[in-house]
Protein backbone atom coordinates (compact mmCIF):
# COMPACT_ATOMS: atom_id res chain seq x y z
CA UNK A 1 0.00 0.00 0.00
CA UNK A 2 2.83 2.37 0.93
CA UNK A 3 4.56 1.71 -2.38
CA UNK A 4 1.31 2.43 -4.22
CA UNK A 5 0.83 5.74 -2.39
CA UNK A 6 4.40 6.81 -3.13
CA UNK A 7 4.02 5.86 -6.79
CA UNK A 8 0.82 7.86 -7.07
CA UNK A 9 2.44 10.85 -5.37
CA UNK A 10 5.44 10.66 -7.71
CA UNK A 11 3.18 10.50 -10.74
CA UNK A 12 1.27 13.55 -9.51
CA UNK A 13 4.49 15.53 -8.99
CA UNK A 14 5.77 14.57 -12.43
CA UNK A 15 2.46 15.62 -13.96
CA UNK A 16 2.59 18.97 -12.20
CA UNK A 17 6.16 19.47 -13.32
CA UNK A 18 5.26 18.71 -16.93
CA UNK A 19 2.32 21.11 -16.79
CA UNK A 20 4.55 23.86 -15.40
CA UNK A 21 7.17 23.18 -18.06
CA UNK A 22 4.54 23.56 -20.76
CA UNK A 23 3.42 27.01 -19.55
CA UNK A 24 5.47 29.98 -20.73
CA UNK A 25 4.88 33.56 -19.56
CA UNK A 26 6.68 36.47 -21.21
CA UNK A 27 6.57 40.21 -20.64
CA UNK A 28 5.88 42.44 -23.64
CA UNK A 29 6.93 46.10 -23.33
CA UNK A 30 4.71 48.67 -25.06
CA UNK A 31 5.61 52.34 -24.62
CA UNK A 32 2.38 53.58 -26.20
CA UNK A 33 -0.81 54.60 -24.39
CA UNK A 34 -3.65 52.04 -24.39
CA UNK A 35 -5.68 54.24 -26.74
CA UNK A 36 -3.12 54.11 -29.56
CA UNK A 37 -3.88 51.78 -32.51
CA UNK A 38 -0.50 50.08 -31.96
CA UNK A 39 -1.58 49.08 -28.46
CA UNK A 40 -4.68 47.44 -29.87
CA UNK A 41 -2.53 45.41 -32.26
CA UNK A 42 -0.31 44.24 -29.38
CA UNK A 43 -3.31 43.21 -27.28
CA UNK A 44 -4.67 41.29 -30.27
CA UNK A 45 -1.29 39.57 -30.66
CA UNK A 46 -1.31 38.47 -27.02
CA UNK A 47 -4.88 37.18 -27.27
CA UNK A 48 -4.13 35.32 -30.50
CA UNK A 49 -1.05 33.64 -29.03
CA UNK A 50 -2.97 32.58 -25.93
CA UNK A 51 -5.65 31.03 -28.13
CA UNK A 52 -3.19 29.30 -30.47
CA UNK A 53 -1.29 27.82 -27.53
CA UNK A 54 -4.43 26.94 -25.56
CA UNK A 55 -3.21 29.13 -22.72
CA UNK A 56 0.26 27.59 -22.52
CA UNK A 57 2.09 30.64 -23.94
CA UNK A 58 1.08 33.94 -22.34
CA UNK A 59 2.25 37.46 -23.21
CA UNK A 60 1.74 39.83 -20.30
CA UNK A 61 1.54 43.23 -22.01
CA UNK A 62 2.81 46.27 -20.09
CA UNK A 63 1.27 49.36 -21.75
CA UNK A 64 1.89 53.07 -21.39
CA UNK A 65 5.61 52.53 -20.70
CA UNK A 66 4.78 50.81 -17.41
CA UNK A 67 8.27 49.29 -17.46
CA UNK A 68 9.87 52.76 -17.77
CA UNK A 69 12.03 51.91 -20.78
CA UNK A 70 13.08 54.50 -23.37
CA UNK A 71 12.49 53.78 -27.06
CA UNK A 72 15.92 55.18 -27.87
CA UNK A 73 17.45 52.46 -25.68
CA UNK A 74 15.48 49.57 -27.21
CA UNK A 75 18.51 47.84 -28.72
CA UNK A 76 20.09 47.83 -25.27
CA UNK A 77 17.27 46.76 -22.97
CA UNK A 78 16.13 44.10 -25.44
CA UNK A 79 19.43 42.28 -24.86
CA UNK A 80 18.91 42.00 -21.08
CA UNK A 81 15.97 39.60 -21.15
CA UNK A 82 13.75 42.03 -19.20
CA UNK A 83 11.36 42.19 -20.96
CA UNK A 84 11.41 39.12 -23.16
CA UNK A 85 9.60 40.94 -25.98
CA UNK A 86 8.84 44.41 -27.29
CA UNK A 87 8.47 46.34 -30.49
CA UNK A 88 10.15 49.43 -31.87
CA UNK A 89 9.74 51.96 -34.67
CA UNK A 90 13.19 52.07 -36.36
CA UNK A 91 13.37 55.90 -36.66
CA UNK A 92 13.68 55.98 -32.85
CA UNK A 93 17.01 54.10 -33.08
CA UNK A 94 19.08 56.95 -34.53
CA UNK A 95 21.56 57.15 -31.67
CA UNK A 96 22.54 53.47 -31.77
CA UNK A 97 21.81 52.46 -35.38
CA UNK A 98 21.64 55.30 -37.90
CA UNK A 99 21.07 52.94 -40.84
CA UNK A 100 17.90 51.44 -39.40
CA UNK A 101 16.60 54.84 -38.33
CA UNK A 102 16.95 56.17 -41.92
CA UNK A 103 15.83 53.08 -43.76
CA UNK A 104 12.94 55.07 -45.28
CA UNK A 105 12.61 58.83 -45.70
CA UNK A 106 9.80 61.17 -46.70
CA UNK A 107 9.44 61.36 -50.46
CA UNK A 108 9.86 57.68 -51.27
CA UNK A 109 6.46 56.00 -50.83
CA UNK A 110 3.26 57.34 -52.34
CA UNK A 111 0.75 54.52 -51.93
CA UNK A 112 0.13 50.92 -50.93
CA UNK A 113 1.30 49.60 -54.30
CA UNK A 114 4.75 51.12 -53.81
CA UNK A 115 4.92 50.07 -50.17
CA UNK A 116 4.06 46.46 -51.00
CA UNK A 117 6.70 46.54 -53.75
CA UNK A 118 9.49 47.40 -51.31
CA UNK A 119 8.23 45.48 -48.29
CA UNK A 120 10.25 42.25 -48.85
CA UNK A 121 13.50 44.25 -49.15
CA UNK A 122 12.50 46.38 -46.17
CA UNK A 123 11.75 43.33 -43.99
CA UNK A 124 15.00 41.63 -45.00
CA UNK A 125 17.07 44.71 -44.21
CA UNK A 126 15.42 45.45 -40.86
CA UNK A 127 15.70 41.80 -39.80
CA UNK A 128 19.42 41.80 -40.58
CA UNK A 129 19.83 45.06 -38.69
CA UNK A 130 18.10 43.77 -35.55
CA UNK A 131 20.09 40.52 -35.59
CA UNK A 132 23.34 42.50 -35.59
CA UNK A 133 22.40 43.42 -32.02
CA UNK A 134 21.90 39.76 -31.01
CA UNK A 135 18.15 40.31 -30.90
CA UNK A 136 15.62 38.11 -32.65
CA UNK A 137 13.24 39.84 -35.11
CA UNK A 138 10.02 37.85 -34.78
CA UNK A 139 8.05 39.86 -37.32
CA UNK A 140 6.45 43.22 -37.93
CA UNK A 141 3.46 45.39 -37.15
CA UNK A 142 2.58 47.61 -40.07
CA UNK A 143 2.34 51.37 -39.73
CA UNK A 144 -0.54 52.88 -41.65
CA UNK A 145 -0.20 55.08 -44.71
CA UNK A 146 -0.69 58.69 -43.64
CA UNK A 147 -1.20 61.35 -46.30
CA UNK A 148 1.48 64.04 -45.94
CA UNK A 149 0.01 67.39 -46.91
CA UNK A 150 1.05 71.02 -46.84
CA UNK A 151 -1.34 72.74 -44.44
CA UNK A 152 -1.00 76.50 -44.88
CA UNK A 153 -2.21 79.85 -43.60
CA UNK A 154 -2.79 81.12 -47.13
CA UNK A 155 -3.42 79.28 -50.42
CA UNK A 156 -0.42 77.29 -51.68
CA UNK A 157 -1.11 75.23 -54.80
CA UNK A 158 2.32 74.30 -56.13
CA UNK A 159 5.93 73.62 -55.25
CA UNK A 160 6.85 76.99 -56.73
CA UNK A 161 4.43 78.77 -54.38
CA UNK A 162 5.81 76.71 -51.48
CA UNK A 163 9.23 78.25 -52.18
CA UNK A 164 7.82 81.66 -51.25
CA UNK A 165 6.80 80.68 -47.72
CA UNK A 166 8.31 79.14 -44.58
CA UNK A 167 7.63 75.44 -44.09
CA UNK A 168 7.54 73.46 -40.86
CA UNK A 169 8.82 69.87 -41.02
CA UNK A 170 9.42 67.24 -38.37
CA UNK A 171 12.89 65.82 -39.01
CA UNK A 172 16.37 66.59 -40.30
CA UNK A 173 15.97 64.55 -43.47
CA UNK A 174 12.85 66.54 -44.38
CA UNK A 175 14.77 69.79 -43.83
CA UNK A 176 17.51 68.62 -46.19
CA UNK A 177 15.08 67.41 -48.87
CA UNK A 178 13.11 70.65 -48.98
CA UNK A 179 16.18 72.85 -48.84
CA UNK A 180 17.45 71.03 -51.93
CA UNK A 181 14.18 72.06 -53.59
CA UNK A 182 14.64 75.70 -52.61
CA UNK A 183 12.07 75.63 -49.81
CA UNK A 184 12.86 77.28 -46.46
CA UNK A 185 12.18 74.41 -44.05
CA UNK A 186 12.69 74.25 -40.31
CA UNK A 187 11.85 71.83 -37.51
CA UNK A 188 9.12 72.95 -35.12
CA UNK A 189 8.04 70.57 -32.34
CA UNK A 190 4.43 69.45 -32.63
CA UNK A 191 3.47 71.04 -29.29
CA UNK A 192 4.65 74.41 -30.59
CA UNK A 193 3.20 74.16 -34.09
CA UNK A 194 -0.18 75.83 -33.48
CA UNK A 195 1.42 78.96 -32.02
CA UNK A 196 4.14 79.00 -34.67
CA UNK A 197 1.51 78.94 -37.41
CA UNK A 198 -0.72 81.44 -35.65
CA UNK A 199 2.09 83.98 -35.21
CA UNK A 200 3.66 83.52 -38.63
CA UNK A 201 6.87 81.85 -37.51
CA UNK A 202 5.96 79.35 -40.25
CA UNK A 203 3.38 79.64 -43.01
CA UNK A 204 2.86 75.96 -43.83
CA UNK A 205 3.36 72.62 -42.13
CA UNK A 206 4.01 69.18 -43.59
CA UNK A 207 1.33 67.37 -41.61
CA UNK A 208 -1.28 64.62 -41.77
CA UNK A 209 -4.79 66.09 -42.14
CA UNK A 210 -6.10 62.98 -40.41
CA UNK A 211 -4.49 64.20 -37.17
CA UNK A 212 -4.93 67.96 -37.63
CA UNK A 213 -7.75 68.20 -35.11
CA UNK A 214 -5.57 66.66 -32.39
CA UNK A 215 -3.72 69.99 -32.17
CA UNK A 216 -6.50 72.18 -33.68
CA UNK A 217 -4.24 72.92 -36.65
CA UNK A 218 -7.27 73.44 -38.89
CA UNK A 219 -8.02 76.68 -36.98
CA UNK A 220 -4.83 78.36 -38.28
CA UNK A 221 -4.12 76.37 -41.46
CA UNK A 222 -7.21 76.40 -43.65
CA UNK A 223 -5.55 75.76 -47.02
CA UNK A 224 -4.29 72.26 -47.83
CA UNK A 225 -2.66 70.54 -50.78
CA UNK A 226 -1.38 66.96 -50.71
CA UNK A 227 2.27 66.24 -51.43
CA UNK A 228 1.27 62.95 -53.05
CA UNK A 229 3.44 61.05 -50.57
CA UNK A 230 2.83 59.23 -47.32
CA UNK A 231 4.88 59.83 -44.22
CA UNK A 232 7.58 57.12 -44.10
CA UNK A 233 5.60 53.91 -43.39
CA UNK A 234 8.48 52.07 -41.75
CA UNK A 235 6.94 49.08 -39.93
CA UNK A 236 7.41 48.37 -36.25
CA UNK A 237 9.82 45.50 -35.60
CA UNK A 238 8.57 42.93 -33.09
CA UNK A 239 11.63 41.75 -31.15
CA UNK A 240 12.49 38.99 -28.70
CA UNK A 241 15.48 38.52 -26.44
CA UNK A 242 17.62 36.08 -28.40
CA UNK A 243 18.52 33.78 -25.51
CA UNK A 244 14.88 33.48 -24.40
CA UNK A 245 13.82 32.93 -28.01
CA UNK A 246 16.29 30.08 -28.43
CA UNK A 247 15.13 28.53 -25.16
CA UNK A 248 11.59 28.19 -26.48
CA UNK A 249 10.41 24.86 -27.82
CA UNK A 250 10.08 24.58 -31.59
CA UNK A 251 6.32 24.50 -31.17
CA UNK A 252 6.23 27.74 -29.18
CA UNK A 253 8.54 29.51 -31.61
CA UNK A 254 6.24 28.51 -34.43
CA UNK A 255 3.11 29.63 -32.57
CA UNK A 256 4.64 33.00 -31.74
CA UNK A 257 5.82 33.51 -35.32
CA UNK A 258 2.35 32.67 -36.63
CA UNK A 259 0.67 35.07 -34.20
CA UNK A 260 2.98 37.94 -35.13
CA UNK A 261 2.48 37.24 -38.86
CA UNK A 262 -1.28 37.37 -38.35
CA UNK A 263 -0.93 40.68 -36.52
CA UNK A 264 1.15 42.13 -39.33
CA UNK A 265 -1.50 41.13 -41.83
CA UNK A 266 -4.35 42.60 -39.78
CA UNK A 267 -2.43 45.87 -39.23
CA UNK A 268 -1.85 46.39 -42.97
CA UNK A 269 -5.25 47.95 -43.65
CA UNK A 270 -4.21 50.34 -46.39
CA UNK A 271 -7.67 50.50 -47.96
CA UNK A 272 -8.97 51.69 -44.59
CA UNK A 273 -6.20 54.32 -44.49
CA UNK A 274 -7.50 55.81 -47.74
CA UNK A 275 -11.03 55.91 -46.34
CA UNK A 276 -9.84 57.41 -43.04
CA UNK A 277 -7.95 60.17 -44.86
CA UNK A 278 -10.99 61.05 -46.94
CA UNK A 279 -13.22 61.07 -43.85
CA UNK A 280 -10.79 63.45 -42.15
CA UNK A 281 -10.78 65.76 -45.16
CA UNK A 282 -14.57 65.83 -45.13
CA UNK A 283 -14.62 66.77 -41.43
CA UNK A 284 -12.11 69.54 -42.05
CA UNK A 285 -14.09 70.88 -45.00
CA UNK A 286 -16.98 71.26 -42.57
CA UNK A 287 -14.73 73.51 -40.48
CA UNK A 288 -13.85 75.82 -43.33
CA UNK A 289 -10.72 74.12 -44.67
CA UNK A 290 -10.14 74.20 -48.44
CA UNK A 291 -8.37 71.35 -50.21
CA UNK A 292 -6.60 71.95 -53.52
CA UNK A 293 -6.00 68.35 -54.57
CA UNK A 294 -2.43 67.11 -55.08
CA UNK A 295 0.70 68.72 -56.50
CA UNK A 296 1.57 67.71 -60.07
CA UNK A 297 3.32 64.51 -61.09
CA UNK A 298 6.39 66.52 -62.14
CA UNK A 299 6.52 68.17 -58.71
CA UNK A 300 6.21 64.79 -57.02
CA UNK A 301 9.12 63.51 -59.08
CA UNK A 302 11.16 66.53 -58.00
CA UNK A 303 10.46 65.72 -54.36
CA UNK A 304 11.40 62.08 -54.88
CA UNK A 305 14.66 62.98 -56.61
CA UNK A 306 15.61 65.30 -53.73
CA UNK A 307 14.53 62.69 -51.17
CA UNK A 308 16.69 59.98 -52.75
CA UNK A 309 19.70 62.31 -52.65
CA UNK A 310 19.04 62.99 -48.95
CA UNK A 311 18.61 59.26 -48.34
CA UNK A 312 21.93 58.57 -50.08
CA UNK A 313 23.70 61.04 -47.78
CA UNK A 314 22.11 59.62 -44.62
CA UNK A 315 22.92 56.02 -45.49
CA UNK A 316 26.46 56.87 -46.49
CA UNK A 317 26.94 58.64 -43.15
CA UNK A 318 25.42 55.65 -41.35
CA UNK A 319 27.89 53.30 -42.98
CA UNK A 320 27.80 49.56 -42.42
CA UNK A 321 24.99 47.96 -44.39
CA UNK A 322 23.19 51.27 -44.88
CA UNK A 323 24.23 51.88 -48.52
CA UNK A 324 23.45 48.27 -49.49
CA UNK A 325 20.01 48.46 -47.86
CA UNK A 326 19.29 51.71 -49.65
CA UNK A 327 20.27 50.19 -53.00
CA UNK A 328 18.14 47.09 -52.41
CA UNK A 329 15.03 49.06 -51.43
CA UNK A 330 15.45 51.64 -54.21
CA UNK A 331 15.75 48.90 -56.81
CA UNK A 332 12.52 47.35 -55.54
CA UNK A 333 10.80 50.76 -55.55
CA UNK A 334 11.70 51.49 -59.17
CA UNK A 335 11.10 47.94 -60.48
CA UNK A 336 8.22 47.50 -62.90
Amino acid sequence: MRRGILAALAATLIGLGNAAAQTVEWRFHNSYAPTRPESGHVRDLAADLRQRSQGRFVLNVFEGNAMNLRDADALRWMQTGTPEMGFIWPPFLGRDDAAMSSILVFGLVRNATELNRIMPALRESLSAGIRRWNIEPVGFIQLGLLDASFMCRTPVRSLDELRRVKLRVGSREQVETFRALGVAAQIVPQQELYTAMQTGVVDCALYAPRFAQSISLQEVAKHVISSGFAFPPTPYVVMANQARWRALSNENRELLTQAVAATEQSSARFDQDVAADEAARERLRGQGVTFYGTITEAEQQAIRTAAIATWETLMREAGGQGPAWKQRIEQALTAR
Side-chain angles (χ1 to χ4, degrees), residues 270-317:
F270 304 133
D271 55 338
Q272 295 182 22
D273 286 326
V274 173
D277 279 339
E278 182 52 42
R281 285 190 284 267
E282 193 59 33
R283 287 193 299 270
L284 294 174
R285 288 188 187 101
Q287 298 178 59
V289 175
T290 300
F291 287 83
Y292 300 99
T294 305
I295 62 173
T296 67
E297 178 69 23
E299 290 172 324
Q300 291 177 48
Q301 288 301 326
I303 289 177
R304 174 168 281 173
T305 298
I308 289 175
T310 299
W311 193 26
E312 172 75 31
T313 298
L314 292 175
M315 288 307 220
R316 187 173 62 249
E317 290 176 354

Side-chain angles (χ1 to χ4, degrees), residues 103-119 122 142 144-148 227-234 270 300 303-304 307 311 329 333:
I103 201 160
L104 288 184
V105 298
F106 168 78
L108 294 182
V109 176
R110 292 188 287 192
N111 49 48
T113 299
E114 291 184 345
L115 178 58
N116 288 329
R117 193 182 299 154
I118 68 171
M119 190 56 68
L122 190 56
Q142 185 59 57
L145 286 167
L146 281 174
D147 172 45
S227 70
F229 291 94
F231 283 105
T234 310
F270 304 133
Q300 291 177 48
I303 289 177
R304 174 168 281 173
W311 193 26
I329 295 167
L333 179 65

Side-chain angles (χ1 to χ4, degrees), residues 185-215:
Q186 60 183 293
I187 297 172
V188 176
Q190 179 164 280
Q191 62 270 26
E192 300 173 14
L193 178 53
Y194 182 98
T195 301
M197 187 78 74
Q198 185 180 48
T199 58
V201 172
V202 292
D203 305 296
C204 295
L206 185 67
Y207 207 79
R210 199 190 308 179
F211 295 151
Q213 289 180 288
S214 67
I215 59 170

Side-chain angles (χ1 to χ4, degrees), residues 57-312:
F57 196 164
V58 177
L59 291 181
N60 295 311
V61 179
F62 291 81
E63 298 180 330
N65 199 24
M67 300 187 76
N68 195 30
L69 300 170
R70 297 176 67 245
D71 287 333
D73 298 329
L75 297 175
R76 304 183 185 198
W77 49 253
M78 198 70 254
Q79 296 183 61
T80 68
T82 305
E84 291 85 358
M85 282 193 76
F87 73 136
I88 191 65
W89 194 44
F92 291 149
L93 302 175
R95 183 197 63 203
D96 288 337
D97 199 307
M100 278 200 289
S101 73
S102 300
I103 201 160
L104 288 184
V105 298
F106 168 78
L108 294 182
V109 176
R110 292 188 287 192
N111 49 48
T113 299
E114 291 184 345
L115 178 58
N116 288 329
R117 193 182 299 154
I118 68 171
M119 190 56 68
L122 190 56
R123 288 192 193 100
E124 182 182 352
S125 300
L126 286 172
S127 295
I130 290 293
R131 286 196 177 97
R132 286 192 312 186
W133 290 84
N134 298 319
I135 299 167
E136 185 64 30
V138 184
F140 302 88
I141 293 176
Q142 185 59 57
L143 186 68
L145 286 167
L146 281 174
D147 172 45
S149 289
F150 304 110
M151 301 190 66
C152 302
R153 288 160 27 110
T154 58
V156 170
R157 301 181 182 88
S158 68
L159 196 55
D160 186 55
E161 291 181 357
L162 192 66
R163 294 186 178 102
R164 305 171 195 171
V165 299
K166 295 169 289 187
L167 175 66
R168 176 268 181 185
V169 295
S171 64
R172 173 207 163 189
E173 47 92 1
Q174 292 169 10
V175 170
E176 299 301 327
T177 293
F178 282 105
R179 283 182 178 170
L181 292 165
V183 177
Q186 60 183 293
I187 297 172
V188 176
Q190 179 164 280
Q191 62 270 26
E192 300 173 14
L193 178 53
Y194 182 98
T195 301
M197 187 78 74
Q198 185 180 48
T199 58
V201 172
V202 292
D203 305 296
C204 295
L206 185 67
Y207 207 79
R210 199 190 308 179
F211 295 151
Q213 289 180 288
S214 67
I215 59 170
S216 301
L217 189 60
Q218 78 283 358
E219 295 178 2
V220 290
K222 291 188 174 295
H223 303 273
V224 183
I225 187 166
S226 174
S227 70
F229 291 94
F231 283 105
T234 310
Y236 294 92
V237 183
V238 181
M239 312 173 291
N241 175 266
Q242 198 169 77
R244 300 302 298 272
W245 168 263
R246 291 173 176 172
L248 289 174
S249 66
N250 291 336
E251 179 185 10
N252 279 336
R253 281 198 294 269
E254 181 64 22
L255 290 173
L256 181 54
T257 301
Q258 290 173 356
V260 173
T263 301
E264 180 182 7
Q265 184 175 4
S266 66
S267 64
R269 300 170 179 172
F270 304 133
D271 55 338
Q272 295 182 22
D273 286 326
V274 173
D277 279 339
E278 182 52 42
R281 285 190 284 267
E282 193 59 33
R283 287 193 299 270
L284 294 174
R285 288 188 187 101
Q287 298 178 59
V289 175
T290 300
F291 287 83
Y292 300 99
T294 305
I295 62 173
T296 67
E297 178 69 23
E299 290 172 324
Q300 291 177 48
Q301 288 301 326
I303 289 177
R304 174 168 281 173
T305 298
I308 289 175
T310 299
W311 193 26
E312 172 75 31

